[in-house]
Amino acid sequence: MNGWYGKILRVDLTNQTHTIETVDPQFAKDFIGGRGWAIKYLMDGMDPAADALSPENMLIFATGPLTGSPAPTGNRYMVVTKSPLTGVLTNSNSGGDFPTWMKRTGFDLFIFEGRAEKPVYLWVNDDQVEIRSAEHIWGKQVPETTDIMLAETHKKAKVACIGPAGERLVKAAAIMNDKDRAAARSGVGAVMGSKNLKGVVAMGTHKIGMADYDGMQTYGRAMSREVGEASKTSVLRIYGTPYVPDVTNEMGILPTRNFQTGRFEGVENINGPALNASFLLRPGACHRCPIVCNRITKVDTPGYEGEGEGPEYESIGALGSSCGVDNLAAITKANYLCNEYGMDTITVGMTISCAMEMYEEGIIPESDIGEPLKFGDADGMIKFLKKMALREGFGDKLAEGSYALAESYGHPEYSMSAKKLEFPGYDPRGAKGMGLLYATSNIGASHMMGDLAYAEVFGTPEKIDPLTIENKPALIKRWEDSFVIIDAAGLCVFMAVRYAFDKNPMIMPDRLTKLMNLTTGADYTPETLMQAAERVYNLERLFLLKAGITKADDTLPPRFLEEPLTEGPAAGHVAETEKMLPEFYALRGWDEHGVPTQEKLEELGLE
Amino acid sequence: MKVHLKLIATYREYLPPENKGKAEIEVPAGTTAVYIIANLGIPIEESVVLVDGRSPNPGETLQEGSVVFAFPATAGG
Ligand code: SF4
């Protein structure tokens, strides 16, 4: 096979054995790769209703056919598993170096099953697969864990691992790779912790086959040059995603004080120019990325000293404006700590801001927290982030995520989450397509499952009105399916949406189809690739339905549906998700309960 | 009449550094946001231009106190 190796490494942690499986070429094509293959293995291999932290859950690391190819940003992998935070599926994406090194081992997927009796890590060097003791590393933070694993294996290898948060089954726990990159969302680190799997070390000498080697070298490299040329003076290179708070604040959709409002008075202290002036050392990049959007930073401010990567926009929104914090040194420090303990900045920030609101409303008594915890308390935010990572005191409640926290006090409505996954940084009252995405996405409130904010907010491929619901169901369907392709292929969405799709808001994968064909030789057309994506999307939906999700779960917190925004251009608006849902279901070929019809399943070959 | 101009991120460079992307400018009635932005030499087709936080309709003219906001169109955040 080309692009795909068609080889899967299955590791049975309970019995400390591994097997190597091959993949049928037709299956490879029909499910694209990465995220697409993974859901099929999950569906066939486990009961979707199983407890996410039990040995029955499967944890899958999935690269795509373009991971490690000359396509620009071909450096991603996906962690696919059942989420302990949400009780549904998760697809958690990361870049950096590890995914490319994983691909060089000669396997497309690593599948972990069962539970090791004692802490272990996996070392894969081409076909040599070793399960090693990690008892001496258990308890250590991500940077130290990474260094020890590299010292014990090979200094040129790459590591994905968990920190103390994952070990303690904190539901915000991430799987960190290359120290600072995160498959962050939905508590994937807790699944790894529940399996007593501390880390995965990978390297190898395998190269993927190319259906048209010369063609892909020429086309992939020309595309990389084009992206690189356009990125030299681009906002993502110069300011990174921290340019965004100014934009969302202007549009009145910057998460502020647990989404009570969409405008933050301290925005100028937490924006891109503020970060560049104070803490930016240089931009950084995932493996061979010509865009270079990462932020390598250093903080000297007393009390917040540190060095590392971040913060990204999402971290600034969750740990900053949502907590009412405009101290950028504190936000950056909090980001470093999340990386070191191994946690998702969004769930951490949104859970703490949920606690802050409930404390201010008198719902969480001070005696439970041990001290006041108010919006704007930068040091409180940092203190409780650490307690959350270690499950100390009130941190034990925070560690369950915002929904479980709010529900335990009888007020789940204070959790800004959909399907129990905390919201990212776009208030759906002022970006209505995003509201439909959050309500219907197969992992809960994630922007990464079909980020229509590119069009509603950022003008890519062109600016569309964020305040209407007209045509949004069709757009969301198209964008969700498009993001399946990007994820399954192994590319970064920042590059792919702008450069590998056509320039119409109803995006179609024109150049992406060419990249896929040159690499795999699978003869996709944009339409057949879209259909494969729809197949994957529907199989994911079936997983959710079997996990117990109903139509009632395709919704948003009452705040977004009932409390209009009061400032900015979206003042007076609520998220009109309910109005869009019937049209969305119909376009998807689902019945009025949100269940795929038999006809749809037959059309997709899923019956 | 007076309108407010806010240019963010890389577009701050179209104003003197001490402005930090902000200016209050005097314009005749009937002026459009796109006219002001284009006049600064900013490539309109690569930009998102907002008036009071939303995209103006084609030909929509500014009002006293309007906030004109512009940034380079991009993907990602
Ligand atoms: S655009 Fe940014 S996140 Fe995406 S691959 Fe490049 S450096 Fe990584």
Side-chain angles (χ1 to χ4, degrees):
Chain A
M1 270 197 256
N2 293 309
W4 311 287
Y5 298 112
K7 261 173 71 185
I8 287 172
L9 176 65
R10 193 186 285 266
V11 180
D12 177 345
L13 291 163
T14 308
N15 297 307
Q16 310 270 302
T17 57
H18 71 271
T19 48
I20 293 168
E21 296 170 14
T22 54
V23 172
D24 168 59
Q26 190 61 43
F27 162 78
K29 180 178 175 178
D30 290 348
F31 288 84
I32 312 172
R35 173 180 165 187
W37 288 15
I39 184 60
K40 183 77 168 106
Y41 278 88
L42 222 54
M43 260 320 230
D44 293 348
M46 69 176 279
D47 175 4
D51 177 354
L53 295 177
S54 73
E56 242 195 282
N57 195 6
M58 293 163 73
L59 174 70
I60 304 183
F61 286 14
T63 63
L66 299 182
T67 309
S69 80
T73 74
N75 59 43
R76 321 284 308 178
Y77 87 128
M78 204 76 170
V79 175
V80 182
T81 186
K82 180 171 177 178
S83 160
L85 175 69
T86 65
V88 298
L89 178 72
T90 193
N91 293 308
S92 197
N93 191 281
S94 183
D97 292 334
F98 175 81
T100 306
W101 266 248
M102 175 179 156
K103 186 90 184 249
R104 289 178 185 163
T105 63
F107 298 103
D108 301 295
L109 264 55
F110 293 167
I111 299 179
F112 299 99
E113 296 177 325
R115 169 189 282 153
E117 203 178 313
K118 290 183 175 151
V120 295
Y121 72 94
L122 182 78
W123 163 221
V124 187
N125 186 358
D126 283 331
D127 294 333
Q128 280 185 298
V129 179
E130 258 181 71
I131 299 170
R132 293 185 168 187
S133 169
E135 281 182 85
H136 57 300
I137 318 175
W138 203 250
K140 299 207 186 302
Q141 298 213 325
V142 168
E144 207 185 338
T145 300
T146 305
D147 290 338
I148 294 172
M149 286 184 184
L150 291 178
E152 290 180 1
T153 53
H154 197 295
K155 65 178 189 300
K156 290 198 171 142
K158 300 290 174 186
V159 173
C161 68
I162 56 170
E167 295 173 7
R168 286 169 177 74
L169 313 182
V170 171
K171 298 201 175 144
I175 297 174
M176 305 298 300
N177 60 275
D178 307 295
K179 295 185 181 174
D180 289 320
R181 303 305 298 175
R185 303 233 65 194
S186 316
V188 290
V191 176
M192 197 152 151
S194 76
K195 298 194 173 306
N196 269 323
L197 178 62
K198 178 70 172 166
V200 178
V201 192
M203 69 182 286
T205 53
H206 284 77
K207 287 198 175 77
I208 46 170
M210 292 277 170
D212 179 350
Y213 181 85
D214 292 340
M216 185 60 185
Q217 293 293 333
T218 311
Y219 193 72
R221 288 191 202 290
M223 208 168 148
S224 277
R225 266 196 308 279
E226 177 196 334
V227 176
E229 205 47 51
S231 299
K232 265 188 193 151
T233 54
S234 80
V235 65
L236 276 176
R237 172 94 49 102
I238 295 169
Y239 290 106
T241 57
Y243 82 94
V244 175
D246 281 328
V247 178
T248 46
N249 191 66
E250 187 67 15
M251 291 179 64
I253 58 170
L254 173 66
T256 302
R257 288 181 279 275
N258 204 32
F259 282 99
Q260 292 184 70
T261 74
R263 282 202 163 154
F264 183 47
E265 63 287 353
V267 68
E268 291 187 5
N269 299 327
I270 60 171
N271 65 8
L275 187 72
N276 282 20
S278 310
F279 309 127
L280 184 73
L281 291 179
R282 61 181 183 280
C286 303
H287 187 63
R288 284 203 183 148
C289 172
I291 296 177
V292 193
C293 84
N294 303 344
R295 304 290 94 186
I296 314 296
T297 53
K298 182 167 190 265
V299 178
D300 294 320
T301 315
Y304 306 111
E305 294 92 341
E307 197 172 336
E309 210 176 303
E312 301 282 343
Y313 168 62
E314 291 299 342
S315 311
I316 292 173
L319 300 164
S321 53
S322 192
C323 289
V325 169
D326 71 349
N327 176 342
L328 192 54
I331 296 167
T332 309
K333 178 69 178 179
N335 194 148
Y336 296 156
L337 288 167
C338 282
N339 291 350
E340 287 158 17
Y341 287 110
M343 292 196 290
D344 173 19
T345 55
I346 301 179
T347 286
V348 169
M350 292 309 304
T351 301
I352 292 174
S353 68
C354 171
M356 285 171 163
E357 185 175 2
M358 292 177 76
Y359 168 77
E360 290 196 353
E361 290 296 321
I363 298 166
I364 302 183
E366 192 170 318
S367 54
D368 281 16
I369 305 175
E371 61 190 86
L373 183 60
K374 289 190 182 159
F375 286 117
D377 180 357
D379 293 335
M381 180 267 290
I382 290 180
K383 182 173 182 179
F384 282 93
L385 174 164
K386 291 184 192 166
K387 286 179 177 286
M388 186 172 172
L390 300 173
R391 285 189 178 271
E392 284 172 8
F394 184 64
D396 194 35
K397 273 189 174 284
L398 295 170
E400 293 298 309
S402 68
Y403 190 89
L405 171 75
E407 195 187 33
S408 73
Y409 287 95
H411 288 281
E413 71 276 13
Y414 283 94
S415 164
M416 295 305 125
S417 61
K419 296 190 179 75
K420 303 184 187 171
L421 183 66
E422 288 75 13
F423 271 65
Y426 309 95
D427 191 313
R429 289 169 287 191
K432 308 236 169 163
M434 291 302 282
L436 182 61
L437 172 72
Y438 296 147
T440 61
S441 131
N442 285 330
I443 75 168
S446 163
H447 55 308
M448 296 296 285
M449 294 292 108
D451 202 348
L452 194 65
Y454 291 5
E456 290 190 315
V457 178
F458 302 116
T460 294
E462 68 186 47
K463 179 93 165 117
I464 60 171
D465 187 348
L467 296 179
T468 67
I469 60 172
E470 216 177 301
N471 207 32
K472 294 289 166 70
L475 283 164
I476 288 299
K477 174 179 184 288
R478 179 61 57 85
W479 282 61
E480 284 173 338
D481 290 346
S482 298
F483 275 55
V484 169
I485 306 173
I486 300 168
D487 290 341
L491 299 182
C492 174
V493 294
F494 288 2
M495 189 291 297
V497 176
R498 198 167 171 81
Y499 297 97
F501 282 76
D502 65 6
K503 304 282 176 228
N504 182 308
M506 277 299 260
I507 53 177
M508 280 299 274
D510 52 2
R511 296 166 90 188
L512 183 45
T513 304
K514 180 148 187 189
L515 289 169
M516 286 291 288
N517 287 340
L518 289 169
T519 305
T520 65
D523 271 335
Y524 288 110
T525 63
E527 291 72 24
T528 58
L529 202 45
M530 273 302 197
Q531 196 192 34
E534 205 183 345
R535 180 176 299 120
V536 171
Y537 189 90
N538 277 275
L539 192 57
E540 292 177 348
R541 178 73 177 181
L542 293 180
F543 186 95
L544 264 66
L545 293 168
K546 286 196 174 156
I549 286 297
T550 67
K551 182 188 177 186
D553 298 294
D554 291 342
T555 190
L556 304 180
R559 168 157 293 159
F560 300 117
L561 301 174
E562 292 160 15
E563 292 172 29
L565 281 167
T566 55
E567 322 171 63
H573 282 266
V574 293
E576 298 172 90
T577 314
E578 250 108 87
K579 282 192 203 153
M580 292 182 272
L581 216 48
E583 188 185 337
F584 177 81
Y585 284 176
L587 286 165
R588 278 248 168 254
W590 297 354
D591 68 16
E592 70 274 26
H593 304 293
V595 178
T597 58
Q598 193 54 34
E599 214 182 334
K600 187 60 164 180
L601 295 179
E602 277 168 25
E603 174 195 320
L604 297 171
L606 290 174
E607 73 289 352
Chain B
M1 62 183 186
K2 275 202 176 74
V3 299
H4 304 277
L5 187 60
K6 268 200 224 170
L7 305 177
I8 66 144
T10 44
Y11 281 4
R12 284 160 61 120
E13 289 160 22
Y14 287 95
L15 291 172
E18 62 275 17
N19 280 46
K20 297 190 172 171
K22 287 186 196 162
E24 209 177 76
I25 52 173
E26 194 59 48
V27 296
T31 305
T32 64
V34 167
Y35 178 82
I36 295 176
I37 297 301
N39 237 359
L40 287 164
I42 296 176
I44 285 292
E45 59 293 344
E46 291 165 28
S47 305
V48 176
V49 179
L50 303 176
V51 176
D52 299 326
R54 31 166 297 274
S55 302
N57 297 319
E60 184 179 318
T61 56
L62 297 170
Q63 308 296 315
E64 172 77 33
S66 293
V67 178
V68 176
F69 182 95
F71 66 99
T74 186

